[in-house]
Amino acid sequence: MTTASTCLWFDDRAEEAVQFYLTLFPHSRILHTTFYLEGAPKPPGTVLAIRFTLNGAEYLALNGNPSFPFTPATSMVAACDTQEEVDTLWEKLSEGGEAGQCGWLRDRFGVSWQIQPRPLLALLTTEDRAASQRVFDAIRPMRKLDLAALLQAHAGPA
């Protein structure tokens, strides 16, 4: 069966980024590393690409060149089971990067991430439109998402 995965185009920091990401997600590993050969735009033996998994999902990190920088138009989404996981990923991924709004950040490699509590989608798509609106309104001023505050917004005024 055909599969699809994401390729992350770095200038020359693919190996550093992959090693960092592997520390953040369980069940993650490098599957294969490919190196530049003679006649390539980078010195022979330099890392060209790394196939790796983050908690079982496969990705490719490519050392291309600076022609195509990352933008928030493409982002990685990390669905977290607990607020502790949200807090940990937020702290580690935003270090040396830039914290954004509504659970978004850019890591030190320029990759945009959405750090979300796993229940978020269900809270935003409930049949109770007023509850979903309250959750949406609660998210807008947040930087790092706060699951307890989102659940409270969904429940409504006491």
Side-chain angles (χ1 to χ4, degrees):
M1 175 184 246
T2 302
T3 60
S5 65
T6 300
C7 176
L8 300 170
W9 178 298
F10 296 87
D11 179 8
D12 62 0
R13 298 180 71 189
E15 192 170 18
E16 180 185 355
V18 169
Q19 290 299 333
F20 175 63
Y21 299 152
L22 293 179
T23 69
L24 301 178
F25 295 90
H27 314 294
S28 301
R29 64 189 178 101
I30 291 175
L31 301 172
H32 184 76
T33 303
T34 305
F35 300 91
Y36 277 102
L37 301 172
E38 291 290 336
K42 295 195 184 235
T46 302
V47 171
L48 167 63
I50 304 170
R51 281 184 47 237
F52 66 104
T53 64
L54 297 179
N55 203 13
E58 191 171 317
Y59 299 90
L60 180 73
L62 173 73
N63 276 330
N65 59 49
S67 298
F68 303 108
F70 293 112
T71 75
T74 301
S75 61
M76 304 284 281
V77 179
C80 302
D81 291 324
T82 66
Q83 185 65 46
E84 182 181 0
E85 288 177 0
V86 169
D87 295 345
T88 298
L89 278 179
W90 184 268
E91 177 184 325
K92 291 181 178 181
L93 285 167
S94 64
E95 185 177 315
E98 182 181 352
Q101 291 294 119
C102 305
W104 287 67
L105 62 85
R106 186 177 327 203
D107 71 20
R108 65 181 180 238
F109 306 104
V111 176
S112 291
W113 290 81
Q114 298 178 55
I115 310 301
Q116 301 178 350
R118 196 173 303 279
L120 179 62
L121 185 59
L123 295 173
L124 288 169
T125 59
T126 181
E127 289 184 24
D128 182 344
R129 301 306 301 152
S132 293
Q133 185 66 52
R134 289 190 303 271
V135 172
F136 178 77
D137 292 341
I139 290 170
R140 293 178 57 202
M142 290 183 185
R143 292 177 74 78
K144 176 180 67 176
L145 298 184
D146 179 336
L147 179 56
L150 298 175
L151 291 170
Q152 183 177 1
H154 189 269

